Amino acid sequence: MNYNFREIEAKWQRIWREDQTFRAAADEKRPKYYCLEMFPYPSGSGLHVGHLKNYVPTDAFCRFKSMQGYNVLHPMGWDAFGQPAENEAIRRNRNPRAMVPEYAAAYRETLVQAGCSYDWQREINSSLPEYYKWTQWMFLLLHRQGLAYRATAPINWCPACKTGLANEEVRDGRCWRCDAPVEKKPMPQWFFRITAYADRLLADLEKLDWSEGMKEMQRDWIGRSEGAEVDFAVAGSRESIRVFTTRPDTLFGATFIVLAPEHPLVPVVTSAERRSEVEAYVRKAQGESEIDRLSAERAKTGVFTGAGAVNPVNGETIPVWIADYVLMGYGTGAIMCVPGHDERDFAFARKFGLPVLQVVSRDGSCYDLQAAEPAEGIAVNSGRWSGLPTAEFTKAVTAWLQEKGLGRPTVNYRLRDWLISRQRYWGAPIPIVHCPACGEVPVPEAQLPVLLPDVENYHPTGTGESPLAAIPEFVRTVCPKCSGPARRETDTMGGYACSSWYFLRFTDPGNAKAFASRQALDYWLPVDQYTGGIEHARSHLLYARFWTKVLFDEGLLGFEEPFLNLRNQGSLLALTPGRRPRAQEEGREDEKIIDWVVLKHDEREKYPADQIIWRWARMSKSKGNVVTPEDIIGRFGADSLRVYEMFVAPFEDNVQWSEEGIQGSHRFVARAWRWLQAARPLYRQDWRDSLPAEFSPEAGYAAAPTNSIEQGAKGGPAECRVRRKLHQTLQKVGAQIESFQFNTALAAIMELLNAIYAYAPLEKESLPPASDAAIVSELAETLVLLLAPFAPHLAEESWQQLGFATTVYRAPWPAFNPAVAASDSVNVMVQVNGKIRDKVIVPLDCDEETVKAEALRSAKTRQSIEGKQVLKMIFVKNKMLSIVCK
RNA sequence: GCCGAGGUGGUGUAAUUGGUAGACACGCAAGCUUGAGGUGCUUGUGGGCAUUUGCCUGUAGGGGUUCGAGUCCCCUCCUCGGCACCA
């Protein structure tokens, strides 16, 4: 009777492991279902209850799919290469090579304890040679396709992590891992040409069943804009400045040109007398951090180059300036400025006394512009195009420019190429050899993997070189082409390279001949259900889509989008101690710390308690606010924790973690257990054959006399009511798990359990003697099946107790019987002039005349319409009778 | 500023196509049981008035459509997430 969850949970975790219950193997007889969670990177010392906010519901979903008859692939692995793991190793003064397996083991242990049904035979670790061999192989594939290239460019440099970062790894001008302000540093680096796929990455979003917010984030990041390139001849020179504009209709209003400080034409066009000032400005701009440079609402700065440029539409010469608000990386790095119709240009013109000209009008007339008017309208002051609406003008002038060879329509993307080089130790070495004679030579496939050497010092050097550069045995090699002496590339790949294809490897993790066999890929992929944090909206999800498309183009995959369906779990928030920032920390542009700083571990003890400010913050090891599952599991059991994590809020929502509610979930689980124990003596597996006829709809119970109006339609005998509730619950729960509404699915099961207790309450740990064995059997058996996705240990133990020899996850998810689930009577509301005054209980699908008659017989209804004239009645079957009167 | 998601009891939250607002839990209160380290059961619990039946009011605020609005439309306010000098 006692609910000994410790014993039960340990027992089933052992059986699942020994029997390999969740092992997935290709099986043509069953439809496959690939359900995947984003694999975690090992940082901090373990998984916390926040991680389980994703893993537990997704696990319930997998168990449900398995009961539905799907051949479920549910794998887990470790995103073990990259900065998070390496930073953690440095912090703990451990070698990542030794640390990562320990962390992985601890993570695995926690997931096992939480009762998650992974196929551990397929566990992968991206930092092992058998895995990163194929990461390197894919690099070479990209290289062969011209999609991996080396270039010297100003990159995002994190001075704290001492490495380059991709744009996607920079948040608010800060490093994604350590929050240090990012600098610009020109360096030779490896890039992946993701921009070549910008249009497809954008267009194929339409095919995906992702949240609108998620798709919008990707659209924003790709940032497509249509416009035109226009060439402005530099006065007195053969050079011309190419600008990109989305508003070629405002060409007549261009009163100056601005180049980005890094623009190659700057030194060329600058006049001798302006040179020193221009050079000083360029130097200053280079030294500025991304944060400074990108902070909005910042006063405009810039200098005049002394040059002039000729506007192709009217032949007028306008001055050429440089300013840091123009970015070299976007468009052509040069803009034509139309202060009349662009706010930034307006601010710049005001500051430097440049002319403002109106060329677009709301109504076709000219008026004084008090501010920039960026809206579309009717062209004015635009020569022969005056009077045209914006859209037409844009078309006409673009065509004219193209004809004259002065411009052309263009599409621009905000997306930049993906910087993959890291000057760090803990990553997959880039498989390239630099040969003085042959240049850049890819390592032949047969020589893969290029092993990451085991070293003493793996710390970043800070010189801009990878620690690998300091290992002569690694660097010195021979050229695969000419066999002459050569040196290896010493940069490693950023962690996102590993996570861009891991979902492929899970289908065939042991394959030594290919990243996965085509057969396995074709059978399992694409991923049917993907879950993970929204923080990967731009980075990982964009990269993985890009690699998939590359592999598809190469003919290696039969699909173009890896994750058809994506759901983002909400986070758990924990009450976190913080403090007001100190004087030297104030005034920073970063809003996140403007009035609150998380107290560091060592500060927490010393800080005066009355000055601590508590706030809800996302659980993370770095904030020191995590709750570990082991503790909760020890006190309440894994099944209770699972139920709580799913019941507390919708999957997608953030939740403020509190332990108050877990008691309620535990109460529910234990209550189910107690009833099932009491039901055992009555249980018989052949209950279907012995179900009393009067309790089944086939025997016509729906027409029983209790159903009539006269009887007040209590809904039939108790047996019928509890069966109805059971089958209604089945219908609800199935649909709700399918749509990831675990919280309401659990609420429905709780309702059912309440109904079961009302039908057969426990008396001294047993059921009432008069209980019908067949009904009790149906209730017990079905309850176990309903609970199986949520409380798996309890379900397996109960299933075994009922006499079943095989796992409950091979049992079919119970089908609901619509005839049993159907209500025999309904409440029909009686509304008088829009207010509910009464209700009548009538048989299901009762016709209008009967309901009317029934309603008018009721004293309450008659009282409400007394002395009034009934104008009309509106009848909605099974729902409402609305009486309008005066 | 732009884009996206939201705003419902003391709390977490629930309400197919507009049709009984607050299911299910937490908390709280009372009672019974148990026994006394988070036990179980029953009842009550949006607000106000009346307390036997009842009446009024209520889903951020304001307007609208409708027999009927948490749900649809318009405006305002607020919260969260993302983007932001992108030409």
Side-chain angles (χ1 to χ4, degrees), chain A residues 7-21 112 793 800:
Chain A
E7 201 174 284
I8 296 168
E9 292 176 358
K11 169 183 165 185
W12 286 98
Q13 285 163 17
R14 195 194 70 237
I15 294 176
W16 291 333
R17 188 182 63 242
E18 287 171 357
D19 291 359
Q20 298 186 5
T21 309
V112 166
H793 310 88
Q800 192 180 59

Side-chain angles (χ1 to χ4, degrees), chain A residues 137 141-142 144-145 147 193-194 196-201 204 207 515 518 544-561:
Chain A
W137 184 88
L141 172 71
L142 287 154
R144 207 158 55 235
Q145 297 295 318
L147 295 169
R193 207 181 300 278
I194 192 171
Y197 282 71
D199 52 347
R200 285 165 70 187
L201 289 167
D204 288 351
K207 298 181 188 169
F515 63 91
R518 185 62 195 259
R545 293 181 61 219
F546 164 55
W547 277 37
T548 302
K549 286 180 190 303
V550 172
L551 293 169
F552 171 82
D553 289 350
E554 188 71 8
L556 297 171
L557 296 176
F559 55 93
E560 237 185 301
E561 284 292 338

Side-chain angles (χ1 to χ4, degrees), chain A residues 426-475:
Chain A
W426 193 238
I430 291 176
I432 291 286
V433 168
H434 299 282
C435 168
C438 312
E440 214 169 76
V441 183
V443 173
E445 211 177 304
Q447 290 177 26
L448 295 182
V450 175
L451 284 174
L452 183 67
D454 197 357
V455 295
E456 300 253 317
N457 184 19
Y458 54 85
H459 287 245
T461 60
T463 60
E465 268 200 317
S466 157
L468 295 181
I471 307 165
E473 312 87 85
F474 177 79
V475 176

